[in-house]
Amino acid sequence: MPITDPGPKPHVFDIEKATTGNDTYRTVAWTGRYLQVTLMSIPVGESIGLEVHPETDQFLRLEAGKGRCVMGPSEKDLPFQEDVEDDWAIQVPAGTWHDVINTGDEPLKLYVVYAPVHHAQGIVQQTAEDAEQDEESGKDEPPAYSVQPGEGKPDQTA
């Protein structure tokens, strides 16, 4: 199922089919002014990558596979640890270090809802390394029309 992010316009798609059919590390499926939906596929033995978003809440939903969710106040203090699998949801409060590690024998398929928007509209990143390079280069920045913490009204021209 091809996914095209139309930006802050009405949009519908079969999220389960799109998520289970996604083979990229991250594909941005929809970008609004206040939140964003991404699809992810994590290879066996790999993870989304330990990270923290100081001003972004996240909701993750697993559609296939098994994993281990870890969270905590710092990258070296992750007291919250829970095994997760198909149909489980993970809520990550802003400012919480977190990771989801694929502990199963198939790719871990999930979607993520970010609020506020965290990635570039429609960006597709084949691998975690691609995502890291895009973030370092500035290619993976939220669009000007999205509302970011500490900013005024977004650009309404999108």
Side-chain angles (χ1 to χ4, degrees):
M1 164 182 278
I3 296 295
T4 304
D5 181 353
K9 296 176 175 69
H11 184 54
V12 298
F13 65 100
D14 183 333
I15 197 164
E16 183 175 12
K17 186 174 181 180
T19 302
T20 57
N22 175 52
D23 291 322
T24 68
Y25 170 75
R26 180 171 37 238
T27 294
V28 175
W30 186 78
T31 305
R33 287 188 169 88
Y34 300 96
L35 65 85
Q36 185 169 58
V37 178
T38 67
L39 313 176
M40 297 186 80
S41 179
I42 308 303
V44 173
E46 295 187 25
S47 74
I48 64 170
L50 184 60
E51 61 184 359
V52 64
H53 306 295
E55 297 179 315
T56 303
D57 288 324
Q58 288 181 277
F59 170 90
L60 297 81
R61 168 90 157 66
L62 281 64
E63 291 291 347
K66 294 182 179 186
R68 181 112 177 124
C69 173
V70 298
M71 289 191 260
S74 74
E75 61 186 316
K76 295 187 187 321
D77 183 13
L78 304 166
F80 182 95
Q81 301 203 8
E82 187 78 37
D83 290 327
V84 293
E85 60 186 71
D86 183 18
D87 295 333
W88 282 61
I90 301 166
Q91 295 80 50
V92 183
T96 302
W97 282 88
H98 60 282
D99 199 358
V100 181
I101 304 104
N102 184 341
T103 60
D105 56 6
E106 65 180 301
L108 184 62
K109 306 286 186 153
L110 62 146
Y111 64 85
V112 183
V113 178
Y114 296 90
V117 172
H118 194 74
H119 297 286
Q121 177 186 337
I123 197 165
V124 175
Q125 296 154 327
Q126 294 297 322
T127 67
E129 292 77 22
D130 293 340
E132 189 173 315
Q133 287 175 357
D134 288 347
E135 289 173 14
E136 289 173 3
S137 72
K139 181 179 176 184
D140 189 10
E141 293 293 325
Y145 63 78
S146 67
V147 175
Q148 296 296 309
E151 294 181 358
K153 291 191 172 216
D155 179 357
Q156 300 290 318
T157 61

